[in-house]
């Protein structure tokens, strides 16, 4: 059971990164997805530091 805890933390941090990115309107790219997959919980500050996408009004 204790061997699954790091994987659970890794998966929950990926979900947290996705939620934070959606709320801040950060565009998801392949590079950012790979960053979250590789860094896991350490990637949350990178998502918070990412600049939100700007949308031009028509």
């Amino acid at each position: 059971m204790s061997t699954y805890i790091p994987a659970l933390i890794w998966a929950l941090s990926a979900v947290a990164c996705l939620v934070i990115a959606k709320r801040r309107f950060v565009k998801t790219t392949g590079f950012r997805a790979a960053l979250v997959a590789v860094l896991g919980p350490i990637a949350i500050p990178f998502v918070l530091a990412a600049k939100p996408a700007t949308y031009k009004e028509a």
Side-chain angles (χ1 to χ4, degrees), residues 39-58:
L39 296 179
I42 301 169
I44 293 174
F46 290 110
V47 174
L48 291 172
K51 291 183 180 180
T54 55
Y55 296 103
K56 296 181 181 178
E57 294 183 19

Side-chain angles (χ1 to χ4, degrees), residues 1-15:
M1 178 67 182
S2 64
T3 57
Y4 294 113
I5 292 175
L8 181 65
I9 292 171
W10 217 266
L12 289 176
S13 68
V15 171

Side-chain angles (χ1 to χ4, degrees), residues 2 4 16 23 27-28 31 34-36 39 41 44 50 56:
S2 64
Y4 294 113
R23 287 193 177 179
K27 184 179 178 185
T28 305
F31 174 73
L35 186 71
V36 169
L39 296 179
I44 293 174
K56 296 181 181 178

Side-chain angles (χ1 to χ4, degrees), residues 18-45:
L18 179 65
V19 169
I20 292 168
K22 292 277 185 189
R23 287 193 177 179
R24 296 191 70 230
F25 301 110
V26 175
K27 184 179 178 185
T28 305
T29 62
F31 174 73
R32 288 185 179 146
L35 186 71
V36 169
V38 171
L39 296 179
I42 301 169
I44 293 174

